[in-house]
């Protein structure tokens, strides 16, 4: 049974749910996907039923319903919108309260009178109270669910700290005290919500990978019956050995072998190459690939399961689960913090009342001071504050983060693995020797190219800035485009279609061995061969050189031909390269590097790179990559240059250093402040000030990154 589980906020929930269900007699397995919130439960029907499983989840503090991808997506969009609204409210409150606080601080240092200060505090309270109750709902709900299930999580001490600080500020305002801490509490909420939003966004991006793979799968296929009739049937009715028809423009629904017909296939899922591949009788085709031009009769080898598309999906899910385990370890450490905070406050209260005989009210003040001073504000801000600053720095350099923890993983990288086509090279083929071709010929060819969907046609149209195509332009599948220009027939397409002498084609191939060609012929004029090639990005050599000089190990893993990869590797000075790889081969190489102890950054763009991007320690994808690869990558970089890759690594290392510094600041703060608070030397006011001070210090340390140059 697959269930969608509501109320999951952190990786610690995985352990709570899985262990809680496995303790139920009859449940044999429970597996929760933290990214999709999908829970798969196996049980023995004689010992337990679905109702007991759902009730057990409710006892643990979670609600569940049958898994529906559409409903789950809608719920997550609603959660994201709520986080954005909360962030906006907290940010608005922070800005306005800070204006009032600065006035009070300045007045306290000079001669502000009590009524004026009280007025400023009450105005701050009027802004802060609704802002806290509105913006703090995600933390309060999570904490309440945990407490109702007799457990704690990171949101419990955060909620207590926020509530106590707000209550203390109101109390102090009522006492006409010179200090209140409305500014601290709303600022704290704003940063906490920013970190929660980044985490939510990361999970949405990761889940969209599986959704995009599913979108490539056809639900039906055109089965050819023994009498020659064609019938559309569900894929579940197609067995290996059946014969199916794949029409031009359709996605291939099955894995199989071409029995009859000829066409061109977009097999970027398999090879990563955007150039369409000619197929004829005996050629293999794969589910999810696109039949571009001609009709094909395909003998099925795999339909509902065991297809290459299934393999890609399996690799993606396995990679996502590996990252979930990493996050679970990090959250387990954070979860241990909550009981320590509560225990310290309780022991302080008991120590002062039972041992020292202090009145309950006074002991409570000391305990509150301990709870406030140990509130994990600085700890909670230590990482999100750096993430916010670094996200902005990376954005300025053309890098958009998908994953909140990508910065930490980028900082640990020691090996960079590049795909070739579309990554080291430009995503689209470029026209070669265009200056040697007469301008009228190029313009005429470009007009015909406007009528073509072929990648080389698109590249030619772009290179020539051609005008609109002729009205009578006609694309002939597998051959090219033809139309009347100035009263004469013009053709753009394969050399044979344009009547090019095969000897001329061979001579051009010898001169440009890695190029692709189209021909153009107008009337009785001699045909012209146009060569296209995907050249290296302008700064590829410089960036690879900089990475090598910085100590990174560089490899190229490509699905392209060996000759093409060897040429690119030689130009870049990369000794480790592999060609002709399929998705599983790239995963195997990444696993081998991981086994050797390397932390790999995978940079790729093709559909076949998506599993490797998800499996790598961290991954980057150019913005020109297919949507699936963009979704699988931890970050996307803009533009035609590779410089953002090098900048990401350099900024990430500086960010990791700032994160470590912030964590040490938090630890040292607690080592000094907690003992002082426990012995009663700190009032709640000083505790709140110390808490705010530690938060400000870690925030300033994060902002210091802006002064560094990548």
């Amino acid at each position: 049974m697959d269930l969608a589980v509501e109320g999951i906020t952190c990786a610690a929930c995985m352990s709570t749910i899985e262990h809680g269900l496995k303790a139920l007699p009859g449940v044999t397995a429970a597996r929760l996907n933290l990214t999709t919130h999908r829970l798969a439960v196996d049980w023995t029907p004689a010992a337990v039923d679905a109702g007991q499983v759902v009730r057990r989840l409710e006892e643990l503090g979670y609600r569940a319903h049958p898994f529906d991808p559409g409903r789950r997506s809608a719920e997550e969009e609603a959660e994201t919108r709520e986080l954005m609204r909360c962030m906006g409210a907290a940010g608005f409150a922070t800005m306005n309260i800070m204006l009032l606080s600065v006035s009070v601080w300045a007045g306290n240092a000079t001669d502000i009178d009590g009524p004026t200060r009280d007025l400023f505090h009450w105005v701050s309270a009027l802004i802060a109270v609704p802002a806290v109750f509105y913006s703090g709902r995600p933390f309060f709900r999570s904490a309440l669910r945990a407490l109702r299930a007799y457990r704690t999580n990171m949101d419990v001490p955060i909620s207590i700290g926020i509530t106590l600080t707000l209550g203390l500020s109101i109390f102090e305002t009522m006492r006409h005290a010179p200090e209140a801490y409305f500014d601290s509490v709303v600022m704290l909420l704003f940063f906490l919500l920013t970190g929660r939003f980044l985490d939510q966004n990361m999970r949405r991006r990761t889940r969209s990978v599986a959704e995009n793979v599913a979108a490539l799968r056809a639900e039906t296929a055109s089965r050819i019956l023994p009498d020659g009739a064609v019938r559309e049937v569900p894929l579940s009715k197609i067995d290996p050995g059946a014969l199916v028809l794949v029409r031009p423009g359709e996605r291939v629904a099955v894995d199989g072998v071409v029995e009859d017909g000829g066409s061109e296939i977009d097999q970027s899922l398999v090879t990563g190459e955007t150039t369409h591949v000619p197929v004829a009788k005996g050629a293999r085709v794969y589910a999810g690939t696109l039949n571009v031009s001609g009709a094909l009769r395909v003998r099925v080898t795999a339909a509902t399961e065991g297809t290459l598309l299934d393999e890609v999906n399996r690799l993606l899910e396995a990679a996502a689960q590996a990252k979930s385990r990493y996050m679970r370890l990090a959250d387990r450490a954070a979860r241990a913090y909550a009981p320590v905070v509560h225990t310290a406050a309780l022991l302080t209260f008991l120590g002062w009342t039972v041992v020292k005989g202090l009145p309950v009210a006074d002991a409570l003040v000391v305990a509150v001071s301990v709870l406030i001073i140990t509130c994990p504000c600085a700890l909670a801000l230590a990482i999100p504050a750096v993430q916010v600053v670094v996200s902005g720095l990376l954005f300025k350099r053309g890098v958009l983060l998908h994953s909140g923890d990508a910065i930490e993983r980028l900082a640990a990288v020691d090996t960079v693995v590049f795909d070739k086509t579309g990554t080291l090279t430009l995503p689209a083929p470029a026209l070669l020797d265009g200056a040697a071709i007469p301008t009228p010929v190029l313009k005429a060819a470009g007009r015909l190219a406007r009528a073509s969907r072929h990648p080389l046609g698109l590249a030619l149209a772009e290179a020539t800035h051609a005008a609109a195509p002729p009205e009578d332009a006609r694309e002939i599948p597998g051959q090219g485009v033809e139309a009347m220009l100035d009263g004469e027939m013009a053709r753009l397409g394969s050399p044979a279609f344009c009547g090019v002498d095969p000897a001329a084609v061979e001579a051009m191939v010898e001169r440009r061995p890695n190029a692709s060609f189209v021909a153009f012929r107008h009337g009785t004029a001699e045909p012209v061969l146009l060569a296209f090639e995907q050249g290296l990005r302008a700064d590829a050599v410089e960036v690879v050189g900089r990475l090598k000089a910085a100590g990174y190990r560089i490899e190229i893993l490509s699905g392209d031909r060996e000759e093409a990869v060897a040429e690119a590797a030689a130009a870049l000075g990369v000794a480790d390269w592999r060609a002709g790889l399929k998705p599983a081969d790239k995963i195997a190489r990444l696993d081998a590097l991981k086994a050797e102890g390397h932390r790999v950054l995978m940079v790729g763009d093709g559909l076949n790179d998506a599993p490797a991007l998800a499996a790598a320690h961290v991954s980057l994808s150019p913005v020109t990559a297919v949507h699936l690869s963009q979704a699988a990558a931890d970050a996307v970089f803009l533009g035609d240059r590779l410089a953002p890759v090098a900048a990401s690594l350099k900024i990430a290392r500086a960010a990791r250093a700032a994160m470590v510094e912030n964590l040490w600041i938090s630890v040292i703060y607690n080592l000094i402040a907690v003992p002082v608070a426990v012995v009663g030397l700190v009032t709640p006011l000083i505790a709140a000030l110390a808490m705010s001070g530690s938060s400000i210090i870690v925030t300033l340390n994060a902002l210091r990154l802006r002064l560094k140059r990548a």
Side-chain angles (χ1 to χ4, degrees):
M1 178 174 67
D2 287 345
L3 296 171
V5 184
E6 299 179 11
I8 298 171
T9 58
C10 60
C13 297
M14 285 182 68
S15 176
T16 302
I17 291 174
E18 292 180 357
H19 286 96
L21 288 181
K22 287 177 183 175
L24 201 63
V27 173
T28 56
R31 299 174 301 280
L32 176 68
N33 188 315
L34 187 62
T35 302
T36 61
H37 293 189
R38 184 173 187 165
L39 174 66
V41 187
D42 299 328
W43 72 82
T44 305
V48 69
D49 58 30
Q52 289 175 282
V53 172
V54 173
R55 284 194 293 275
R56 177 59 179 156
L57 285 170
E58 290 175 350
E59 291 171 1
L60 295 171
Y62 304 94
R63 289 188 300 174
H65 54 77
F67 186 81
D68 179 352
R71 178 176 174 178
R72 178 60 204 144
S73 178
E75 289 173 350
E76 195 169 66
E77 286 181 9
E79 291 169 7
T80 302
R81 286 196 297 271
E82 183 191 32
L83 280 176
M84 292 183 69
R85 287 195 297 269
C86 291
M87 255 195 320
F92 176 81
T94 300
M95 289 187 292
N96 286 278
I97 293 176
M98 282 303 295
L99 290 175
L100 298 167
S101 297
V102 169
S103 302
V104 173
W105 296 340
N108 283 339
T110 55
D111 56 353
I112 188 171
D113 58 68
T116 304
R117 184 179 55 224
D118 289 346
L119 175 64
F120 278 29
H121 281 167
W122 281 118
V123 174
S124 297
L126 287 174
I127 299 172
V129 171
V132 167
F133 282 101
Y134 181 81
S135 303
R137 290 176 300 160
F139 305 101
F140 299 152
R141 282 200 303 264
S142 172
L144 283 175
R145 276 197 300 267
L147 293 175
R148 285 172 181 164
Y150 304 105
R151 59 186 179 84
T152 60
N153 60 18
M154 193 72 172
D155 290 335
V156 172
I158 287 176
S159 298
I160 293 175
I162 290 171
T163 306
L164 284 178
T165 306
L166 183 64
L168 179 65
S169 297
I170 295 173
F171 178 72
E172 291 299 307
T173 302
M174 294 172 65
R175 291 179 58 242
H176 310 292
E179 302 292 348
Y181 305 97
F182 299 110
D183 49 359
S184 301
V185 71
V186 291
M187 184 183 294
L188 172 66
L189 262 179
F190 176 71
F191 280 111
L192 291 174
L193 286 165
T194 302
R196 186 66 57 93
F197 176 77
L198 286 174
D199 182 64
Q200 177 87 351
N201 196 42
M202 171 192 69
R203 292 174 190 174
R204 285 187 64 197
R205 291 283 185 174
T206 306
R207 194 188 67 254
S208 66
V209 174
E211 292 174 350
N212 287 327
V213 169
L216 295 175
R217 182 191 297 280
E219 296 296 332
T220 61
S222 301
R223 182 170 187 171
I224 302 175
L225 303 178
D227 62 358
V230 178
R231 182 174 299 171
E232 198 78 6
V233 298
L235 214 55
S236 58
K237 302 294 183 183
I238 301 291
D239 297 320
L243 196 63
V244 299
L245 175 68
V246 184
R247 302 180 182 87
E250 288 183 348
R251 284 207 176 273
V252 181
V254 298
D255 281 10
V257 179
V258 176
E259 188 96 347
D260 187 27
S263 179
E264 289 181 311
I265 297 287
D266 179 357
Q267 290 194 339
S268 55
L269 173 68
V270 182
T271 65
E273 289 297 309
T274 54
T275 303
H276 299 162
V277 178
V279 295
K281 183 178 180 180
R284 290 194 65 86
V285 293
Y286 301 95
T289 57
L290 183 66
N291 181 19
V292 177
S293 50
L296 297 172
R297 293 158 65 92
V298 176
R299 184 69 66 184
V300 177
T301 57
T304 54
E305 58 184 17
T307 64
L308 182 65
L309 202 58
D310 291 329
E311 178 68 5
V312 170
N313 198 23
R314 186 189 65 77
L315 293 170
L316 284 171
E317 288 198 357
Q321 287 300 320
K323 288 181 181 179
S324 296
R325 287 195 294 273
Y326 170 81
M327 289 187 288
R328 180 167 50 186
L329 287 174
D331 200 77
R332 190 176 298 165
R335 187 177 57 169
Y337 191 88
V340 170
V341 171
H342 301 145
T343 303
L346 178 62
L347 290 177
T348 301
F349 177 75
L350 294 176
W352 280 104
T353 53
V354 178
V355 179
K356 294 292 184 181
L358 202 67
V360 172
D362 293 340
L364 189 60
V365 170
V366 179
V368 167
S369 300
V370 172
L371 193 58
I372 292 176
I373 214 164
T374 54
C375 178
C377 299
L379 181 63
L381 280 174
I383 307 304
V386 175
Q387 286 177 336
V388 170
V389 173
V390 171
S391 297
L393 288 175
L394 290 175
F395 180 74
K396 289 179 180 177
R397 287 158 179 79
V399 181
L400 307 177
L401 289 177
H402 289 170
S403 166
D405 64 346
I407 299 164
E408 300 156 68
R409 288 182 279 124
L410 275 168
V413 163
D414 60 10
T415 302
V416 183
V417 173
F418 287 100
D419 171 51
K420 183 188 78 69
T421 307
T423 303
L424 289 170
T425 65
L426 290 168
L431 176 65
L432 302 176
D433 303 327
I437 302 171
T439 301
V441 173
L442 275 182
K443 287 187 175 179
R447 289 190 64 193
L448 287 185
R450 284 289 183 205
S452 174
R453 293 173 298 172
H454 195 282
L456 297 184
L458 297 175
L460 178 60
E462 184 68 23
T464 58
H465 305 290
E471 292 183 358
D472 62 341
R474 182 170 69 99
E475 185 163 18
I476 302 172
Q479 298 187 62
V481 180
E482 66 179 16
M484 295 299 292
L485 288 179
D486 300 328
E488 293 184 298
M489 177 60 70
R491 284 184 165 182
L492 176 73
S494 67
F497 180 59
C498 299
V500 180
D501 185 352
V505 176
E506 291 180 9
M508 183 64 94
V509 170
E510 187 173 347
R511 191 160 67 89
R512 295 282 190 183
N514 295 318
S516 300
F517 305 97
V518 295
F520 174 71
R521 184 165 199 161
H522 190 190
T524 57
E526 283 295 316
V528 178
L529 274 175
L530 305 171
F532 294 83
E533 192 172 289
Q534 288 179 288
L536 291 173
R537 291 178 186 260
D539 62 343
V541 174
E542 177 195 347
V543 169
V544 170
R546 284 168 53 194
L547 293 175
K548 290 169 66 178
Y552 291 102
R553 172 178 177 160
I554 308 295
E555 286 196 22
I556 300 174
L557 302 181
S558 175
D560 203 352
R561 294 173 296 112
E562 183 173 336
E563 295 81 3
V565 181
E567 183 181 4
L572 295 167
V574 177
D576 295 326
W577 56 270
R578 287 168 172 78
L581 301 183
K582 291 186 176 180
D585 301 324
K586 294 188 178 184
I587 294 284
R589 180 54 187 160
L590 293 181
D591 286 343
L593 288 169
K594 183 179 179 181
E596 293 171 6
H598 294 291
R599 302 290 180 88
V600 178
L601 164 63
M602 177 73 199
V603 189
D605 74 316
L607 199 56
N608 64 327
D609 293 320
L613 290 167
H617 185 69
V618 64
S619 52
L620 285 172
S621 185
V623 73
T624 51
V626 297
H627 183 64
L628 181 63
S629 294
Q630 288 189 36
D634 294 299
V636 169
F637 64 92
L638 310 176
D640 292 332
R641 302 174 71 83
L642 277 182
V645 176
S648 301
L649 292 168
K650 189 170 184 178
I651 291 173
R653 287 191 170 183
R656 182 179 61 177
M659 289 177 182
V660 172
E661 290 165 2
N662 276 357
L663 290 174
W664 273 112
I665 290 171
S666 303
V667 171
I668 292 172
Y669 157 77
N670 281 287
L671 287 176
I672 295 173
V674 173
V676 175
V678 168
V679 298
L681 298 179
V682 176
T683 66
L685 301 177
I686 297 176
L689 189 61
M691 178 190 69
S692 302
S694 64
S695 301
I696 291 172
I697 290 173
V698 298
T699 303
L700 290 176
N701 191 52
L703 292 172
R704 192 169 53 86
L705 289 170
R706 292 183 176 177
L707 304 177
K708 295 186 177 181
R709 300 181 61 183

